Amino acid sequence: IDDAIVVLENVYRHQEEGKPPMEAARVGTDEIALAIMATTFSLAAVFLPVAFMEGLVGRFLYEFGVTVAVAILLSLFVALTLTPMLCSRFLQHEERRRNVVFAKIGEALDWTDVRYRKSLDWALENPWKTMGVAAVASIVGLAFFVLLPKELTPEVDESGFIVASETPVESSLAYTNEKQQRLEEIVAGVPEVRGHFSAIGLWGGANQGFMFVQLTEPGERDRSQRDVMEELRGRLNSVPGIRAYVSTFGSAFTAGGDSEPFQYLIMGPELEDLQRYGDVLMGRLREEVPGMVDMRTDMRLQKPEVRVEMDRDKAAGMGIDVGAIARVINVLIGSQEATIYKEGGHRYDVRVRVEENQRSQPADITELATRTSSGDLVRLGNVVRIEEGTGINVINRRDRQRAIKILANLQGSSLGEAVSEADRISDEILPDGYSTSVAGASETFQETFASLLFAIFLAAVITYMLLASQFESLVHPFTIMGAVPLAAIGALGLLFVTGMSLNLYSFIGLILLVGLVVKNSILLVDYTNTLRSRGLERTDALRQAGPVRLRPILMTSLTIIFGVSPIALGLSEGAELRQPMAIAVIGGLVTSTLLTLIVIPVLYSLTDDGVLWLKSRAGAVQRHGWRGAWSAAHPAE
């Protein structure tokens, strides 16, 4: 509703000057039309890069960008048509002091107007001091950008989480089940737990398990999901013989992969070396990055296995087919489906294999028998030898190289910090031929931040092009966009003070600010140009434009701040996602509004002086040539 506010305020100002409602509506709208068109197109333009971002994040934000852009374009149409008509019919100038509330608001505005005029006069008389303050503010904003923790998305209380578990690789299902039941007892004893579902041996083998834990709703418990997870992480890992990893369900951007936010890959030719470097990296990360918990790797080089070595010459001499030996072991030890038994509407698979007491030891394989080509039974112990050892469970690859993935949860540490530290340590320990990469949420995190930084840059470029075309100037858009760095100190500073991070949603708030903060500058610059076209000298035009535009600037800024305040308070469930965006917008608008009213007039004045100086130099060169122009500018030399 910014456009409607600005139109209404300008129409009301002309009524205050004595114009009748119809004339005030026509003149006020005509006077402000260019400014609100520039502000609306600039705000819509910043969402073009967001709407066309590639990848999963681009698809996630497409609807957001299109919705906001279309809504504000429609608001411009309403502000230039319906709002002036309603003002001409219903808006009447009344003495504001007649109402106690109006009187207090009027006194506050009068006090603000007086203080602002004095501050503006001082700034115009001390331009370089003013710009020095603006430069310091921009540098402080950059410092906040470096200090803020960086992550893909904020942690959200989902009233549930996952407990992955792992026993030693040689464990049986019975052993894993016993340990998993111990974990279930601990989880069930937590008062905040509403229920849980547990299973073992589904994906990773007999030693792997997982558990879905459901908590009561946030309003029904005293502790947060993170507090419950931290308590269980310690209690579950106190059970001997099993390792537990407590994780959230995972970001929507992990695309169904591992739920741990930190996923780091080491790639190279030798598996043993990959495991060794992975162990070194995990040890260093545990020591140097506090807050990395549940660290593990996906490489398993100690998978127990039984190798059956055949004496092929002896088997051939006895007329035994090597394939027949393999089939006998596969069927009688591993089992084979023979038929399906149906009864009472149920189906039962009937599998054939030897009794359990005949297949409990590797040596039992030698007691099996197979037939020769002549039909005689021969004991396998005559033609095979049994060896026990370890093997590789799975060989993972990335970019056609062997790879090991290190996974970890973050407890008090940011994803950006963890990835940066992993890169630094990897540079120290990895030799030539070995490289690193990121996966899952870590990969999406890097891609998203690169895309968002480019989106902010592209939004600034598009905004400049739009302003240049509307103001028919290559200089004034720079003046207008001077408000953008002034917003950084507030946006990033308030994120830092409130303990937020730089994430996908706070970045969307920063992109929003590119379009929001220039509107104040546009109102000032546009009216200054209007006054100068009427014959006012530049400084007088700036001194008059600032106070006239003070009221609409405050109205629109406060409207946005109050509008997003409920989101910033984070009172609803899942508000952790939206909260950083609102906080960034509020902080950026507060500082940009306060500084823009002072800095932009000064920047306008300095820029105008620079343009005049360049024109004078260009004219001197045209009249006297380069050497003559230098002599005219430096007569003493």
Side-chain angles (χ1 to χ4, degrees):
I1 59 174
D2 277 9
D3 296 339
I5 289 175
V6 173
V7 169
L8 187 147
E9 190 280 333
N10 207 49
V11 171
Y12 191 76
R13 182 175 63 85
H14 281 281
Q15 287 189 7
E16 288 179 319
E17 294 175 356
K19 294 183 178 66
M22 186 67 71
E23 182 183 356
R26 186 183 69 254
V27 175
T29 305
D30 290 342
E31 187 179 71
I32 207 69
L34 175 62
I36 64 171
M37 287 173 62
T39 59
T40 301
F41 291 150
S42 299
L43 187 55
V46 302
F47 286 101
L48 289 177
V50 175
F52 293 100
M53 284 177 63
E54 297 182 353
L56 188 61
V57 175
R59 297 302 88 201
F60 185 76
L61 297 176
Y62 176 79
E63 292 83 358
F64 178 75
V66 171
T67 301
V68 176
V70 172
I72 60 178
L73 289 175
L74 290 175
S75 76
L76 173 64
F77 175 76
V78 172
L80 293 178
T81 54
L82 180 63
T83 303
M85 185 275 293
L86 295 176
C87 288
S88 67
R89 298 296 189 274
F90 301 105
L91 185 64
Q92 299 292 331
H93 171 60
E94 296 180 0
E95 179 56 46
R96 63 189 182 191
R97 300 292 195 272
R98 291 170 56 185
N99 184 287
V100 175
V101 176
F102 289 171
K104 294 297 182 183
I105 295 176
E107 292 172 4
L109 286 174
D110 292 341
W111 181 89
T112 303
D113 183 76
V114 171
R115 296 299 183 276
Y116 172 59
R117 289 176 185 273
K118 292 181 179 179
S119 301
L120 181 60
D121 290 341
W122 182 91
L124 292 172
E125 294 169 1
N126 300 273
W128 295 112
K129 291 181 180 180
T130 304
M131 297 309 300
V133 173
V136 170
S138 301
I139 294 172
V140 172
L142 182 62
F144 280 128
F145 182 85
V146 175
L147 293 174
L148 276 170
K150 300 169 182 65
E151 59 185 352
L152 179 60
T153 57
E155 184 177 329
V156 181
D157 192 324
E158 301 171 296
S159 297
F161 51 88
I162 299 173
V163 179
S165 57
E166 182 180 40
T167 55
V169 289
E170 66 274 9
S171 302
S172 65
L173 276 173
Y175 179 87
T176 303
N177 184 52
E178 177 188 351
K179 297 299 181 181
Q180 186 77 1
Q181 287 178 347
R182 294 281 303 278
L183 300 186
E184 293 178 29
E185 293 172 2
I186 295 175
V187 169
V190 176
E192 290 86 358
V193 172
R194 173 182 293 176
H196 63 275
F197 169 81
S198 180
I200 61 171
L202 292 184
W203 301 296
N207 70 318
Q208 303 286 324
F210 78 93
M211 190 189 314
F212 289 118
V213 181
Q214 184 182 17
L215 303 179
T216 56
E217 297 301 321
E220 301 174 6
R221 47 185 160 91
D222 297 329
R223 294 191 296 176
S224 67
Q225 174 183 301
R226 172 184 286 187
D227 295 334
V228 176
M229 291 173 63
E230 291 178 3
E231 179 198 344
L232 281 176
R233 186 174 286 121
R235 294 180 59 187
L236 295 177
N237 283 297
S238 65
V239 177
I242 189 169
R243 177 71 178 169
Y245 308 97
V246 185
S247 307
T248 61
F249 290 129
S251 166
F253 307 105
T254 56
D258 296 303
S259 61
E260 288 87 349
F262 179 83
Q263 299 181 33
Y264 198 79
L265 291 156
I266 302 178
M267 297 168 289
E270 300 296 333
L271 288 174
E272 291 77 8
D273 291 339
L274 286 174
Q275 186 179 39
R276 186 173 72 254
Y277 294 133
D279 291 340
V280 173
L281 177 58
M282 288 193 294
R284 292 276 301 273
L285 287 173
R286 288 191 184 98
E287 295 176 0
E288 301 176 22
V289 185
M292 295 191 69
V293 295
D294 298 332
M295 197 177 299
R296 61 186 177 92
T297 175
D298 66 347
M299 179 171 283
R300 301 289 185 272
L301 298 183
Q302 294 82 29
K303 184 75 172 178
E305 65 181 15
V306 176
R307 303 187 184 98
V308 180
E309 299 289 343
M310 304 181 194
D311 188 336
R312 293 177 179 270
D313 294 335
K314 188 175 182 180
M318 298 175 68
I320 301 174
D321 181 40
V322 173
I325 297 175
R327 285 193 294 273
V328 166
I329 297 174
N330 182 51
V331 171
L332 298 183
I333 301 297
S335 82
Q336 176 176 313
E337 184 178 319
T339 185
I340 298 176
Y341 174 70
K342 301 178 181 178
E343 182 179 357
H346 296 278
R347 293 161 51 100
Y348 303 93
D349 294 336
V350 179
R351 307 189 70 88
V352 176
R353 63 177 173 178
V354 298
E355 295 287 345
E356 185 174 357
N357 59 1
Q358 296 176 331
R359 53 181 168 83
S360 59
Q361 299 296 326
D364 292 336
I365 295 175
T366 62
E367 301 300 323
L368 303 178
T370 185
R371 292 190 181 275
T372 64
S373 57
S374 61
D376 298 329
L377 282 174
V378 176
R379 182 172 162 271
L380 291 188
N382 294 319
V383 291
V384 301
R385 185 178 70 257
I386 304 300
E387 293 182 358
E388 297 184 48
T390 59
I392 301 171
N393 187 20
V394 63
I395 299 177
N396 296 301
R397 285 181 169 84
R398 175 70 176 256
D399 298 335
R400 305 176 74 177
Q401 299 182 76
R402 292 181 173 183
I404 176 175
K405 183 191 292 186
I406 298 171
L407 305 100
N409 289 311
L410 303 174
Q411 181 179 302
S413 179
S414 68
L415 181 57
E417 178 187 1
V419 172
S420 298
E421 287 298 307
D423 287 337
R424 179 185 62 81
I425 297 172
S426 298
D427 292 339
E428 297 176 3
I429 65 175
L430 294 182
D432 294 337
Y434 290 81
S435 58
T436 62
S437 181
V438 290
S442 300
E443 183 177 18
T444 310
F445 164 78
Q446 289 192 344
E447 294 175 352
T448 300
F449 265 58
S451 299
L452 289 172
L453 287 172
F454 180 72
I456 290 178
F457 168 77
L458 196 59
V461 172
I462 294 175
T463 301
Y464 171 82
M465 294 170 63
L466 278 172
L467 294 174
S469 64
Q470 289 180 299
F471 283 90
E472 298 181 352
S473 170
L474 297 176
V475 177
H476 287 316
F478 282 114
T479 305
I480 292 170
M481 296 184 66
V484 175
L486 302 179
I489 182 175
L492 300 175
L494 192 57
L495 286 171
F496 183 81
V497 170
T498 54
M500 298 290 169
S501 63
L502 266 179
N503 52 63
L504 172 64
Y505 298 93
S506 52
F507 256 107
I508 295 300
L510 296 178
I511 294 175
L512 265 170
L513 281 174
V514 175
L516 290 175
V517 300
V518 298
K519 66 180 181 60
N520 297 338
S521 303
I522 291 173
L523 292 175
L524 284 172
V525 171
D526 174 70
Y527 195 55
T528 301
N529 290 340
T530 300
L531 293 176
R532 293 185 70 182
S533 66
R534 296 174 183 173
L536 255 66
E537 189 269 333
R538 183 189 65 199
T539 303
D540 293 336
L542 289 170
R543 284 194 169 101
Q544 183 174 335
V548 169
R549 291 293 182 242
L550 174 63
R551 187 166 63 181
I553 288 174
L554 291 178
M555 290 170 65
T556 54
S557 297
L558 290 174
T559 299
I560 298 174
I561 290 172
F562 290 141
V564 299
S565 291
I567 304 174
L569 293 175
L571 301 178
S572 61
E573 293 184 19
E576 298 94 333
L577 289 178
R578 303 180 294 273
Q579 202 172 9
M581 179 173 63
I583 288 177
V585 169
I586 290 174
L589 279 177
V590 169
T591 57
S592 68
T593 300
L594 296 177
L595 294 174
T596 296
L597 289 167
I598 301 297
V599 174
I600 295 305
V602 174
L603 185 58
Y604 182 100
S605 179
L606 294 176
T607 304
D608 197 55
D609 286 340
V611 171
L612 293 176
W613 183 86
L614 288 175
K615 287 182 178 179
S616 66
R617 295 281 74 78
V621 169
Q622 187 176 7
R623 291 191 302 270
H624 307 294
W626 286 104
R627 188 178 299 277
W630 176 268
S631 300
H634 305 82
E637 301 178 17

